[in-house]
Amino acid sequence: MAKAETVSGSARIVDGDTIEVADTKVRLFGIDAPEAGQRCKRASGAGEWECGDAAMDRLVAIINGQPVDCKGDDWDAYGRLLAECVSAEGVTINAQMVRDGAAWAFVKYSDRYAAEEAAARKARLGVFQSEASTTAWDFREAQWADAMEGAPEGCPIKGNINSKGERIYHAPWSPQYRKTKVSPEKGERWFCDEADALAAGWRAPYRR
């Protein structure tokens, strides 16, 4: 078993289930939040709502600008610590996100928060208000398949360099994906997966 690691400090929001603490990227273990820009079905079946933005808003509210403590014993392929994080108020952030309907229990990897999801489904909270809503993993899969059709050499991730010289990559489910242009003459490039982009020195965009 890998050695447990704990990181503490202020948290920067990357997306609804990823934060940066003390220069460490932390993926909230056992949950999967809607992607930024993802929309979910309303309970009435009429229209959609911005569940991706709502998930980030909820994460911001739970953390409340205070330091967090995150503990994990494994890392994912993108160099993120897979951890359970606790807010300054003693709230387990992973569990609260699912409990509030701001994320799904990521049962593909763990059933730790299955009970919280069951309760949120029963109460029809957040992403569980409609059974017709697309899960985050299915949303990513669909966006990836669509982007692959026009991607050079089957590599759909766009590596962009902004006006500050920051190297930022945009996956197909990024809100800025369609607006982002890749200009090789400026040093920009395409990537086949996120791990390649990270290894080359690009980072995911910050959301908040």
Side-chain angles (χ1 to χ4, degrees), residues 181-205:
K181 305 298 181 184
V182 177
S183 302
E185 67 275 11
K186 297 179 181 179
E188 298 175 342
R189 54 176 290 194
W190 296 81
F191 293 97
C192 297
D193 60 48
E194 291 184 77
D196 285 345
L198 289 165
W202 264 257
R203 67 164 174 82

Side-chain angles (χ1 to χ4, degrees), residues 14-203:
V14 178
D15 57 32
D17 51 35
T18 306
I19 58 179
E20 187 174 303
V21 181
D23 295 323
T24 299
K25 290 286 194 319
V26 177
R27 176 66 161 80
L28 298 176
F29 174 76
I31 76 171
D32 199 7
E35 294 295 333
Q38 183 176 346
R39 299 173 65 85
C40 295
K41 299 291 184 181
R42 295 188 182 280
S44 63
E48 298 177 325
W49 59 288
E50 300 285 351
C51 55
D53 287 346
M56 286 186 284
D57 288 342
R58 188 61 195 133
L59 184 56
V60 168
I62 294 171
I63 293 173
N64 195 30
Q66 301 299 308
V68 300
D69 294 310
C70 300
K71 184 176 182 179
D73 56 13
D74 201 3
W75 302 76
D76 68 10
Y78 311 119
R80 302 176 299 188
L81 177 65
L82 299 173
E84 187 169 75
C85 298
V86 179
S87 73
E89 287 76 26
V91 174
T92 300
I93 298 170
N94 314 47
Q96 193 64 49
M97 287 290 287
V98 178
R99 194 178 294 123
D100 293 340
W104 289 270
F106 212 173
V107 293
K108 176 180 179 180
Y109 299 103
S110 172
D111 63 358
R112 183 178 300 181
Y113 307 111
E116 285 82 357
E117 177 170 316
R121 281 186 180 279
K122 185 176 181 179
R124 292 188 168 277
L125 298 177
V127 298
F128 305 113
Q129 63 182 271
S130 172
E131 294 293 336
S133 286
T134 302
T135 61
W137 51 89
D138 284 336
F139 176 79
R140 290 192 295 270
E141 183 177 352
Q143 295 298 307
W144 184 274
D146 183 60
M148 282 286 282
E149 293 184 7
E153 299 181 2
C155 297
I157 295 177
K158 299 178 178 180
N160 177 255
I161 302 175
N162 67 15
S163 59
K164 297 179 181 180
E166 297 174 311
R167 299 178 177 229
I168 301 171
Y169 72 83
H170 296 274
W173 44 87
S174 167
Q176 300 301 315
Y177 185 79
R178 296 187 184 281
K179 297 179 181 178
T180 301
K181 305 298 181 184
V182 177
S183 302
E185 67 275 11
K186 297 179 181 179
E188 298 175 342
R189 54 176 290 194
W190 296 81
F191 293 97
C192 297
D193 60 48
E194 291 184 77
D196 285 345
L198 289 165
W202 264 257
R203 67 164 174 82

